[in-house]
Amino acid sequence: MKRGILVLLSLSVLATAGYFTASKWAIKHETIAFRDPARDNRLVAVSVAVRRDKEMQANTGLIKLPVAILNHGNTVKNTEYSFLANVFAWRGYLAISPQHDLPTDPPMVTKVGEAYVGRLPQIQRGVANIHFAIQEMNKVQPNADYEKVTMVGHSMGGDITMYFAKQYPDEIKKVVTLDNLRVPFLTEGKFKILSFRSKDNQFKPDPGVVPDAEECEKAGITVVDTGYQHNDMRDTGPDGAKSSIQAMLDKFLNDTDSDLAPVVTNKAPPAITEPGPVSLFVPVQKPPKAVAN
């Protein structure tokens, strides 16, 4: 019986992966380069993913696109999270991924005892990049909701995500992090939070970053303890890890987006509550080279 269940779950994850892969033709990916005059014309390249039919509807003023901001890990390119961008784009979002660090930036140094072990300047630079990217994208695609965005981030990008949410909670619709390690979760319950956690001895969150189960339940936080490594949570990771994260993310969005859903097809993605080697804590609610952390 157990073997049959495992086979069924594996097939469900594969079906979900096939669903998103087959849908890529309908999603447009492009990179736009912006220069910030307020910061010595700093280059802020933005990778954009959007469903072509939704973009056409927005261009004619028929709809307003919800916005998701995807923040990459340290030393990782902003284009290395297309497996996440595709989930958001497929659901009708405008997915925006700013490039936060440049080759000319000084290296990030850990300083024990300082705020976020000395990462605050890089985090604040990421916040500035996000606000600038939103400002410029509003000129490119004005028919999108930039006032309240879904903030997403992996590793250092997850810390930028959580810090942004703490500083600008009124600009946030929901938050998704993948193994953020330095900035503690916001526990005021202002919006839903989904966080994927790795099983990686090299990348451990600082004490107090991830709330306990009781706090998560009170604050509406969903924590997914995966069996994957920290660096599995990007495009270069194994297909099983990406498919599992996609399935759980899609379920989270399905539960929190009352007015959004993937395009109707003959074969919708299966409902998966436990994809791959994942353990899940779900709060009870009423009407989820090495990358430097």
Side-chain angles (χ1 to χ4, degrees):
M1 174 65 75
K2 288 184 178 179
R3 182 179 179 183
I5 293 173
L6 288 173
V7 170
L8 180 60
L9 284 173
S10 299
L11 290 175
S12 296
V13 170
L14 288 173
T16 303
Y19 169 78
F20 287 116
T21 301
S23 305
K24 286 182 181 178
W25 67 270
I27 298 172
K28 183 178 81 174
H29 291 266
E30 65 176 330
T31 297
I32 306 174
F34 299 119
R35 295 275 180 179
D36 187 354
R39 293 184 291 164
D40 296 323
N41 282 328
R42 180 183 178 86
L43 172 65
V44 181
V46 175
S47 178
V48 180
V50 63
R51 230 174 69 185
R52 296 178 189 276
D53 61 329
K54 293 295 184 182
E55 182 182 45
M56 287 190 290
Q57 291 176 39
N59 288 341
T60 57
L62 293 175
I63 62 170
K64 203 165 189 177
L65 298 168
V67 174
I69 308 293
L70 280 65
N71 301 294
H72 62 84
N74 182 51
T75 75
V76 182
K77 297 297 183 185
N78 62 330
T79 54
E80 292 188 46
Y81 296 89
S82 62
F83 84 104
L84 296 176
N86 285 339
V87 176
F88 285 100
W90 191 244
R91 297 192 70 88
Y93 282 77
L94 177 65
I96 301 170
S97 307
Q99 181 65 43
H100 291 304
D101 47 38
L102 302 175
T104 53
D105 291 334
M108 188 168 60
V109 179
T110 297
K111 298 178 182 177
V112 178
E114 294 191 8
Y116 313 125
V117 294
R119 307 297 173 83
L120 184 57
Q122 287 81 10
I123 292 172
Q124 291 174 329
R125 182 181 66 203
V127 170
N129 290 337
I130 292 169
H131 275 142
F132 177 68
I134 288 174
Q135 170 191 306
E136 296 304 303
M137 282 301 303
N138 194 22
K139 301 172 186 176
V140 176
Q141 177 51 271
N143 293 321
D145 181 9
Y146 301 101
E147 293 185 4
K148 278 190 174 290
V149 302
T150 295
M151 197 66 65
V152 187
H154 172 229
S155 192
M156 181 65 175
D159 288 325
I160 293 171
T161 290
M162 201 61 71
Y163 185 86
F164 189 103
K166 284 174 175 287
Q167 298 299 311
Y168 305 99
D170 293 337
E171 298 178 24
I172 295 293
K173 184 176 292 184
K174 62 180 75 70
V175 165
V176 179
T177 70
L178 300 94
D179 239 21
N180 60 302
L181 306 177
R182 306 297 184 185
V183 180
F185 282 51
L186 191 71
T187 57
E188 281 78 1
K190 293 179 180 294
F191 36 74
K192 296 294 180 66
I193 297 175
L194 169 67
S195 184
F196 295 93
R197 314 307 305 176
S198 74
K199 187 178 181 180
D200 194 324
N201 291 328
Q202 186 178 354
F203 297 93
K204 294 289 188 181
D206 290 344
V209 169
V210 182
D212 61 27
E214 184 177 353
E215 286 182 292
C216 286
E217 182 173 348
K218 290 179 180 177
I221 298 171
T222 301
V223 174
V224 179
D225 293 316
T226 77
Y228 300 116
Q229 298 296 297
H230 181 84
N231 290 333
D232 290 343
M233 299 178 174
R234 62 185 206 260
D235 285 352
T236 55
D239 290 342
K242 292 182 290 185
S243 297
S244 295
I245 291 170
Q246 281 183 319
M248 191 62 73
L249 173 60
D250 190 60
K251 182 182 184 301
F252 173 75
L253 295 175
N254 190 62
D255 292 342
T256 55
D257 286 340
S258 58
D259 56 343
L260 295 172
V263 67
V264 176
T265 64
N266 291 331
K267 186 176 182 181
I272 301 176
T273 56
E274 295 180 286
V278 170
S279 62
L280 174 66
F281 169 74
V282 183
V284 177
Q285 298 290 331
K286 293 182 181 180
K289 32 179 192 191
V291 179
N293 48 8

